[in-house]
Amino acid sequence: MSPLAPWQQRILDAALASLAEGRLGHALLFTGAPRMGKLEVAQVLVRRLLCATPGADGLACGRCRGCELAAAGTHPDFRNVSFIPVEKGDKLRSEIIVDQMRELGPWFALTPQMGGAQVALISPAHALNLNAANALLKTLEEPATNRYLILVTDRPGRLPATIRSRCQRLEFRPPARDEAVAWLRARGHADAVLGPALDAARGHPGLAEDWLANGGLALRREVQADLNALATGRQSPVPLAQRWLGDEQAELRLRFAAELVLDGISQRLAAGPASGLTLPADFQKLSTWFDGVNRAREQLAVPVLRHDLALAGLLLEWRSMFSEPAMQGARR
Ligand SMILES: [Zn+2]
């Protein structure tokens, strides 16, 4: 396992300190943006909770029977709750269902087989459907000694407030810029590229690294060029919509399109340097467009919709924002 990043280590240290002082909640909610390392930290904590003889550093010893079983994925007092396969076929469900939660209550009522803690890790917790969330609530209402429920999600707002309010929250926030820069440098990224990547990722180092490694920044520049070309009539909405949706990068393109508009608006409001994306000054229309792109992003998950038509409509709106006479004077 690679060492934890400083912002991950801080959260782990806080959780271990709470545990040592007997203040660790029986229900924990790990939240924060994707790629902040929530699951990694949760797993380190799970291994500590399952260890019979933790070290002086407060971590799992790595040698006891509990640690061996945890490493093998066969610890009887641990449940990993995530997506299970659909009834027919080998595809995974897209939500966590009530049966998975109903099993947890009676399981938590058993005496732990290894005599230590019992731990259930639910990830991604926002995938709990309504019935599953209600069933989980019942388990949360009956806290017991040495039983831990760990929920991991980057969308805590999708969990019922009744669940959130019963959890101790561990929130992963983007670190200070210096720390993010140092971490990316240490992972071999040059200053010339890591700065723009961190800006694009709004300070989230894990996301910046992902984009550096997988061509995300190049895709962002491509989206910017496409929007510029559309505005000046060098691109047409329909083929562009088809191209944007043509591969598995569709969601990321729409994310970048929305963020470029947002960046352009804030830069214009701050009268800072141009973003490379020429925007009309009609903020009302731009914000409507921003909302539309975000809606289109969410709807990508719904297979039956004609995403190409919806997106072509949005791109047409984009072009028309630049061709209206009232706008043209405001282009500079
Ligand atoms: Zn151990």
Side-chain angles (χ1 to χ4, degrees), residues 51-53 60-64 67:
C51 173
T53 53
C61 74
R63 292 179 301 274
C64 70
C67 282

Side-chain angles (χ1 to χ4, degrees), residues 226-236 319 322 331:
D226 284 341
L227 287 175
N228 281 338
L230 190 62
T232 51
R234 287 177 288 119
Q235 279 271 11
S236 306
R319 193 170 67 177
F322 293 88
R331 289 261 297 268

Side-chain angles (χ1 to χ4, degrees), residues 172-256:
F172 288 64
R173 295 194 177 86
R177 178 97 183 175
D178 290 355
E179 195 170 275
V181 166
W183 183 78
L184 286 166
R185 263 187 205 141
R187 295 171 77 86
H189 299 291
D191 282 15
V193 291
L194 67 82
L198 259 183
D199 290 338
R202 286 162 163 62
H204 288 277
L207 200 55
E209 173 163 67
D210 182 42
W211 291 347
L212 284 168
N214 301 316
L217 280 192
L219 190 72
R220 195 174 193 267
R221 282 192 295 272
E222 201 185 295
V223 167
Q224 184 172 312
D226 284 341
L227 287 175
N228 281 338
L230 190 62
T232 51
R234 287 177 288 119
Q235 279 271 11
S236 306
V238 173
L240 185 57
Q242 282 164 353
R243 180 155 64 77
W244 275 18
L245 298 172
D247 56 31
E248 69 286 358
Q249 304 269 47
E251 205 274 340
L252 192 53
R253 282 195 192 90
L254 295 186
R255 174 194 178 120
F256 286 145

